[in-house]
Amino acid sequence: MSQPATTPDALDAPRTPDAPDPLQALDALGPKGPYRSRHRLTISDVTGTPMAELSLVPRLFVTRALAALRAAATPPLEERLAALKRAGELFATGTVAGMTAAAYESAVCRMSGTPLANVRIAVEAIRLSATEAYRSVQAARPVGAVGDWRDPYARGGTAVWIRRGDVFAVHAAGNHPAVHALWLEALALGYRVAVRPSRREPLTPYRLVSALREAGFGTDQVVLLPTDHDAAGEILHGADLSMVYGGQEVIDRYAADPAVLPNGPGRSKILLTADREWRDHLDVVVDSIARHGGTACVNATAVLVEGDPAPVAEALAERLAALPSLPPQDETAVLPVHPVETARGFERLLLGKAAGARAWLGGDGVVDDLGDGSAALRPAVLQLDDPRDPRLGMELSFPCVWVAPWTRAAGVAALRDSLVVTAITGDEALLDALLAEPSIKNLYIGDHPTHWIAPGIPHDAYLGEFLMRTKAVIRG
Amino acid sequence: MPTASLSVLDVPFDERPDPDEYIRAAMEWHFGPDTGSPFWLRKARTLDFDPRRDVKGVADLALFPHVTGELREVPVRDLIPQGYGADARIVGVFESGGTTGAPKRIVCLRDWLDRLTHGLSADLDGLGIPRGVDWLAIAPSGPHMVGEMVAGTAARHGGLMFRVDMDPRWVKKLISAGKAEETDAYVSHLVEQAAHVLRTQEIGVLMTTPPLLERLARHDDLIELIGEKVKGIMWGGAHMDADTRDLLRTEVFPGCALYGTYGNTMILGGATERLGLGPDEPCVFDPRTPFVTFSVVDPASGEPVPYGERGQVVMNHVSKSALLPNNLERDLAIRVPPPEGAAGDSVADVGPVAMFDDEVVIEGVY
């Protein structure tokens, strides 16, 4: 039998009453309300200062919570949409679980090292997703399907769009708070949702689930289940459908499981062909690399240049070198910040992989010690000789870009396995081929950054395509 | 001849002998040329101390080297004390689960099993578990001693015992090979068999492991059946964290007395949960001293850790039937003062060596 993890902190002596600044308690949000476990994880900010205590629930709690979600009924559509809208506004601007929006933004910056501006982008994305939930999910509905058997179309026979299950689980990532915008669509579609937060940044889902509850969702409609790895699998087991985030190994593990939707590295790319003047598009390329601190799957990892890539790499290096190193809560911060040791780990990995590449930026390292225990990760620009070099697909969570020459012979193959390709080209045959390539998930043509997204636009296909199916219905 | 003092090895079940007097008598028995086992008499020649002279009490058991590794190969007949003569009553040969390599073998004699099951049955009386109800054990049998221990306890408590056999070695093999689906299928098979017994028989006591209890708790119909029928749940064989224990007690099986044992083949049995503690107090296990004693030590220095601190568990089994002193276990636990009159340490919050995985996932952005 596998054994439950031990609970070394469960028996810590209780804090003395006069202890200063008790840590914020991030309770699990279970079907009976907040749950404070004995097994808790201290969450520190990027300087190493403890900030919060996250309650980690045991496997049995997960089993029970998912059973409660399964037993619950889904509220009517109108109620769900109204509650979602309220929750989105509350999340973005209100005081939730005793925390103001400004305090949340500052806290999540310090906890995750995400620059403040990016947190604000994420907050807006979450607010929009909640507010626009109906429009967003309806975009995924097949044109032949209606939402209800009472629809007049059903008299002559039609398709009705129905859920593939009732309980949806999310193993969330901590790289960017905006990952929590997506699963709101599942709530809009009538799923009961269980979220397992990332242990690096549990504050965003804690606030979001709290806001959803304050806005009217029942405790048996949406739960927050922080767990250690031992209990994580139980969440997937207890749900009908799940979405997981992770590296390539996660993608591989769940590739064959029809009940799991894996979200992995984006490996987004930009293609600059010779018929376009690349200097005119430099802003979009820089923005694609650096927006979101380079931490998102939609950030450009590779730039392929028809012709000599060196001038492009040089220009990118010059522009990216100007980005300031600042603490994440600074209004003008743009680079991700980590505890120094974590940052050094990223740096070692980069330098190990960069051997033989021409380093335009970051060749001596990317760690900028901020002197308070944390470090900013500075951008890196590395030039490769071959568009087939596998390092073009190596994604790191800071602005790190691999630049390589592209040729007609390398073709579409060099752009495979990309969440987004921004193609700056006038070659329509090439665009046809890029659109037809199944492993390129999104194609942006011309001056659009790889991180462009809007409600109603699929991110990696519509989530609705995974959550829903059609059923034939005819009635007299 | 020290025959008079040896009688302390056969004290009535309800009596606890003076620990140090008991240990001295046991040394006389296990190292007496006519009474000791061939294994220990051979071993004695390699020791740099004389157990009969130098081991004066429980604390001196730490003088012994770790010998349990030799139990993987020693002929088991050599483990039987000669003092029993030709009519030693053997319950069986039992083996460890094989977690840390090839299984280790011990021989269990009737007088020890009787003492053990008497103690367990008395504990169940204290817990209010009625006598004469029937039992279901979803537990290892075969070479594993726990099956025999539970069967013996059920019988002594007046119950018939239904068994669902569990092969822990096979499960460990599946888990270590990453065969999650096969593991799952095997555990489902166990649950299915248990469900059949629960549906068709009047089961008053359930004995199983914490992971199996969690698996049973996935099924609302089984939760209901257990709630209707079962008065007591005895768990052991794996660790249970405090949050899970609380959930089982208050939410899942609120009508059942939950009773933990911390068992091990190398102590020929288990330590049992201290009763009467509050829900926020840790689960404390008290070994039945002086037959079984624990100490909790710093793994680096071998010195005892202070009370309330976590350390590695050292176990001793000293009975007339067997001597297994100073065995360093893989488990970690918090050192707790023993109950009044008991020797050695009690342990709380037992768990395997804590694994702290690094959350930094380098490849990919998550």
Side-chain angles (χ1 to χ4, degrees):
Chain A
M1 302 291 97
S2 65
Q3 297 183 333
T6 184
T7 57
D9 49 352
L11 291 151
D12 284 351
R15 279 189 301 276
T16 50
D18 57 345
D21 287 343
L23 298 177
Q24 191 196 350
L26 294 180
D27 294 340
L29 301 171
K32 293 181 177 173
Y35 173 81
R36 190 161 305 172
S37 60
R38 294 160 181 80
H39 182 196
R40 295 197 284 266
L41 180 74
T42 301
I43 310 282
S44 299
D45 72 9
V46 286
T47 71
T49 306
M51 288 183 75
E53 260 194 344
L54 180 67
S55 279
L56 298 181
V57 304
R59 192 165 45 199
L60 182 61
F61 189 92
V62 173
T63 310
R64 307 276 297 160
L66 290 168
L69 294 191
R70 190 172 299 287
T74 290
L77 177 66
E78 291 308 318
E79 276 181 34
R80 301 198 303 265
L81 296 177
L84 268 168
K85 189 169 162 50
R86 282 195 298 274
E89 297 296 342
L90 196 55
F91 177 84
T93 60
T95 296
V96 180
M99 188 180 256
T100 64
Y104 156 72
E105 288 178 356
S106 167
V108 83
C109 285
R110 289 189 294 122
M111 187 180 281
S112 66
T114 306
L116 182 60
N118 298 347
V119 172
R120 288 183 178 151
I121 294 171
V123 167
E124 182 57 14
I126 289 168
R127 192 189 66 80
L128 258 184
S129 175
T131 312
E132 303 271 318
Y134 184 76
R135 190 164 78 83
S136 193
V137 298
Q138 291 307 309
R141 180 165 51 87
V143 292
V146 297
D148 193 312
W149 64 267
R150 295 172 188 82
D151 192 288
Y153 276 109
R155 291 196 187 277
T158 188
V160 179
W161 207 35
I162 58 150
R163 286 191 297 276
R164 285 177 65 207
D166 287 319
V167 178
F168 181 54
V170 182
H171 273 221
N175 61 309
H176 198 297
V179 298
H180 294 284
L182 188 56
W183 58 259
L184 294 175
E185 292 189 2
L187 274 182
L189 289 167
Y191 275 89
R192 279 85 78 185
V193 178
V195 180
R196 181 199 182 223
S198 136
R199 295 192 291 181
R200 180 174 152 213
E201 201 275 272
L203 190 57
T204 300
Y206 176 78
R207 178 176 175 84
L208 187 51
V209 173
S210 299
L212 288 161
R213 290 175 168 206
E214 288 181 26
F217 278 98
T219 52
D220 58 0
Q221 297 292 321
V222 56
V223 296
L224 181 76
L225 302 175
T227 68
D228 55 23
H229 282 290
D230 190 54
E234 185 74 5
I235 301 180
L236 302 187
H237 173 88
D240 297 313
L241 297 172
S242 310
M243 178 163 71
V244 301
Y245 290 81
Q248 189 58 45
E249 73 291 345
V250 170
I251 306 300
D252 295 343
R253 190 183 322 150
Y254 295 109
D257 189 339
V260 177
L261 179 67
N263 282 263
R267 302 183 177 119
S268 298
K269 299 177 183 68
I270 292 175
L271 174 64
L272 298 161
T273 58
D275 62 313
R276 290 287 186 267
E277 172 51 55
W278 63 264
R279 285 177 191 82
D280 296 343
H281 304 280
L282 195 58
D283 285 350
V284 160
V285 180
V286 169
D287 192 31
S288 295
I289 296 163
R291 181 76 69 93
H292 303 297
T295 62
C297 49
V298 289
N299 281 116
T301 300
V303 176
L304 291 158
V305 183
E306 192 177 18
D308 182 5
V312 177
E314 185 180 16
L316 289 174
E318 189 188 326
R319 291 281 295 272
L320 291 167
L323 299 179
S325 297
L326 292 165
Q329 64 274 24
D330 191 290
E331 290 279 346
T332 54
V334 287
L335 295 173
V337 175
H338 287 275
V340 172
E341 276 318 299
T342 309
R344 294 261 175 236
F346 282 107
E347 183 178 71
R348 276 193 297 276
L349 187 75
L350 172 73
L351 295 180
K353 288 282 183 180
R358 181 172 177 188
W360 289 90
L361 190 63
D364 302 327
V366 290
V367 171
D368 197 353
D369 195 328
L370 297 178
D372 59 0
S374 71
L377 282 166
R378 299 212 43 86
V381 177
L382 299 128
Q383 185 185 331
L384 301 167
D385 297 331
D386 186 340
R388 288 165 302 188
D389 193 313
R391 287 177 285 184
L392 285 162
M394 188 198 181
E395 181 167 300
L396 291 164
S397 61
F398 58 97
C400 173
V401 68
W402 305 85
V403 184
W406 179 82
T407 60
R408 297 280 152 173
V412 169
L415 293 144
R416 278 187 191 136
D417 298 319
S418 305
L419 180 58
V420 183
V421 167
T422 286
I424 295 174
T425 181
D427 182 340
E428 294 199 5
L430 176 60
L431 290 170
D432 281 337
L434 290 171
L435 187 65
E437 168 54 44
S439 73
I440 296 173
K441 306 295 179 59
N442 303 308
L443 175 65
Y444 300 168
I445 302 165
D447 237 353
H448 301 285
T450 52
H451 57 69
W452 179 82
I453 189 98
I457 303 297
H459 170 70
D460 180 359
Y462 286 116
L463 183 58
E465 293 175 53
F466 174 70
L467 294 177
M468 306 293 276
R469 54 156 291 160
T470 48
K471 177 182 285 196
V473 174
I474 185 164
R475 68 184 178 106
Chain B
M1 288 294 285
T3 23
S5 70
L6 282 181
S7 67
V8 72
L9 296 176
D10 286 317
V11 287
F13 291 158
D14 290 328
E15 280 179 32
R16 297 285 190 104
D18 173 78
D20 292 342
E21 182 194 347
Y22 176 83
I23 295 296
R24 287 194 296 274
M27 292 302 119
E28 289 297 330
W29 168 260
H30 286 293
F31 294 95
D34 302 324
T35 52
S37 68
F39 172 78
W40 276 115
L41 293 179
R42 271 202 309 274
K43 194 86 212 160
R45 295 198 287 271
T46 70
L47 301 176
D48 56 7
F49 62 96
D50 177 356
R52 298 166 83 178
R53 188 188 66 215
D54 300 326
V55 176
K56 301 188 179 73
V58 174
D60 299 326
L61 293 172
L63 290 171
F64 281 99
H66 305 318
V67 300
T68 57
E70 297 176 39
L71 299 180
R72 295 192 167 101
E73 282 162 15
V74 70
V76 290
R77 286 182 182 275
D78 285 1
L79 296 172
I80 303 168
Q82 298 173 87
Y84 281 99
D87 46 301
R89 295 173 64 205
I90 311 288
V91 177
V93 177
F94 297 112
E95 299 183 355
S96 62
T99 308
T100 54
K104 303 161 191 167
R105 297 189 188 87
I106 50 102
V107 181
C108 181
L109 280 85
R110 173 54 60 188
D111 61 325
W112 169 248
L113 193 72
D114 284 348
R115 186 178 294 282
L116 178 67
T117 57
H118 175 87
L120 282 167
S121 179
D123 288 344
L124 296 174
D125 286 337
L127 205 61
I129 304 299
R131 289 175 173 263
V133 298
D134 292 337
W135 289 45
L136 167 62
I138 315 167
S141 56
H144 308 286
M145 189 176 155
V146 59
E148 204 66 34
M149 177 181 95
V150 178
T153 307
R156 188 173 290 276
H157 217 62
L160 302 178
M161 190 172 94
F162 298 85
R163 304 179 192 226
V164 172
D165 183 32
M166 175 197 297
D167 183 344
R169 290 181 200 162
W170 180 238
V171 178
K172 279 172 198 164
K173 217 169 201 174
L174 291 176
I175 291 172
S176 67
K179 294 180 179 172
E181 272 177 42
E182 283 181 51
T183 311
D184 207 54
Y186 181 69
V187 179
S188 296
H189 170 62
L190 299 178
V191 169
E192 211 171 281
Q193 295 174 83
H196 189 253
V197 178
L198 283 164
R199 286 195 193 102
T200 55
Q201 304 294 327
E202 287 308 311
I203 298 300
V205 178
L206 174 65
M207 190 279 153
T208 191
T209 64
L212 250 296
L213 276 179
E214 292 184 30
R215 286 296 290 255
L216 293 170
R218 278 188 188 173
H219 304 272
D220 287 342
D221 56 332
L222 296 182
I223 292 178
E224 201 173 314
L225 264 179
I226 291 169
E228 277 168 23
K229 295 182 173 180
V230 172
K231 307 292 175 251
I233 295 174
M234 189 171 162
W235 60 267
H239 310 291
M240 184 187 289
D241 66 83
D243 290 310
T244 300
R245 185 161 156 260
D246 186 52
L247 284 171
L248 287 172
R249 268 186 174 163
T250 59
E251 277 198 25
V252 188
F253 303 120
C256 305
L258 197 65
Y259 184 55
T261 63
Y262 170 42
N264 192 303
T265 311
M266 291 303 111
I267 52 172
L268 279 77
T272 52
E273 179 178 346
R274 186 180 298 178
L275 301 180
L277 299 179
D280 281 321
E281 291 177 279
C283 188
V284 175
F285 295 108
D286 298 316
R288 189 158 293 266
T289 68
F291 313 101
V292 173
T293 46
F294 293 163
S295 54
V296 181
V297 303
D298 178 334
S301 68
E303 292 300 311
V305 298
Y307 285 128
E309 300 274 306
R310 185 167 277 273
Q312 202 161 353
V313 183
V314 176
M315 297 182 166
N316 305 295
H317 172 100
V318 183
S319 69
K320 190 173 176 183
S321 60
L323 172 65
L324 291 163
N326 202 25
N327 178 27
L328 185 68
E329 276 296 322
R330 74 197 155 105
D331 291 319
L332 299 181
I334 288 174
R335 185 180 178 217
V336 173
E340 175 112 32
D345 293 332
S346 291
V347 296
D349 197 33
V350 180
V353 178
M355 300 288 281
F356 293 106
D357 56 306
D358 184 344
E359 268 274 286
V360 181
V361 179
I362 301 284
E363 169 70 31
V365 292
Y366 307 110

